[in-house]
Amino acid sequence: ISYPEGFREDKKYPLVIFLHGAGTRHDFEKMRTNKALLQIKAWQDAKGYILLAPHCIEGDWYEWMNPLLQLVSEIRELPYVDKTRLHITGNSMGGYGTWALATLYPDWFASAMPLCGGGIGGFAKKLVDLPIRAFHGLCDQTVDPIESLQMAKAVNVRGGHAELILFPELAHNCW
């Protein structure tokens, strides 16, 4: 967890939750240099949000969903976290985790931004009130872009708003 410059406990802040991908799960130092995480960290002071980036050391976010839910539940109850401004994002395995966590507790989040991930389309009805912007590289050989397309479509056909931005010349590391 990191705090913006000038952080004060008597003020309310948005919370951005970042879920990393499988490539960084066994190496904490590698996670700290994750390009997507570094970009989110770079905007932190200017935008004034708290950043929570848990480390999934083995398995995947589905296997660690209960501890993740407990962590997010505890963090969102902190007196300086604005519960109306929780945002979730993640890349690759973290993109799947983003879809999953948003599906489980859509009312917790103000927005979701999955990168190169997928989810279970049948649960998309829970996401119709959540603004979603998903990203995927069309040359992705690790996670088929159809995963993002199917989720965005499933949300939208149910009346939600999931914007999908596809990068024609990028592969898996579209972040």
Side-chain angles (χ1 to χ4, degrees):
I1 190 164
S2 68
Y3 302 92
E5 188 176 301
F7 172 81
R8 296 184 356 230
E9 287 193 21
D10 64 340
K11 184 180 172 191
K12 296 264 188 196
Y13 294 88
L15 174 68
V16 174
I17 301 164
F18 173 77
L19 304 178
H20 65 81
T24 55
R25 88 183 124 206
H26 301 296
D27 185 344
F28 185 71
E29 284 307 310
K30 195 173 179 183
M31 187 189 117
R32 291 171 47 123
T33 60
N34 177 293
K35 287 184 181 181
L37 179 59
L38 288 174
Q39 186 59 61
I40 294 167
K41 183 84 175 104
W43 292 325
Q44 185 177 23
D45 289 336
K47 302 290 184 185
Y49 52 78
I50 298 168
L51 173 60
L52 175 66
H55 190 205
C56 178
I57 56 173
E58 61 182 42
D60 58 37
W61 290 112
Y62 294 111
E63 294 174 62
W64 289 92
M65 191 55 66
N66 285 335
L68 179 61
L69 287 169
Q70 183 177 345
L71 174 65
V72 173
S73 179
E74 289 173 14
I75 298 294
R76 70 188 292 269
E77 292 301 323
L78 293 172
Y80 45 80
V81 172
D82 182 346
K83 285 193 228 182
T84 66
R85 296 189 295 162
L86 270 65
H87 307 275
I88 186 162
T89 187
N91 61 328
S92 191
M93 178 181 83
Y96 283 93
T98 297
W99 283 112
L101 190 54
T103 299
L104 289 170
Y105 288 94
D107 56 319
W108 280 7
F109 301 103
S111 70
M113 189 177 76
L115 309 166
C116 301
I120 300 171
F123 295 136
K125 64 185 173 201
K126 294 181 169 190
L127 301 173
V128 297
D129 295 324
L130 183 66
I132 299 167
R133 181 173 288 160
F135 297 87
H136 216 121
L138 284 174
C139 299
D140 193 337
Q141 298 292 309
T142 305
V143 175
D144 193 319
I146 197 75
E147 298 269 348
S148 290
L149 184 63
Q150 288 173 337
M151 281 304 293
K153 183 177 179 182
V155 171
N156 292 338
V157 299
R158 288 167 175 83
H161 181 73
E163 180 182 4
L164 175 59
I165 297 172
L166 298 169
F167 300 101
E169 297 181 15
L170 294 181
H172 187 59
N173 293 343
C174 76
W175 49 90

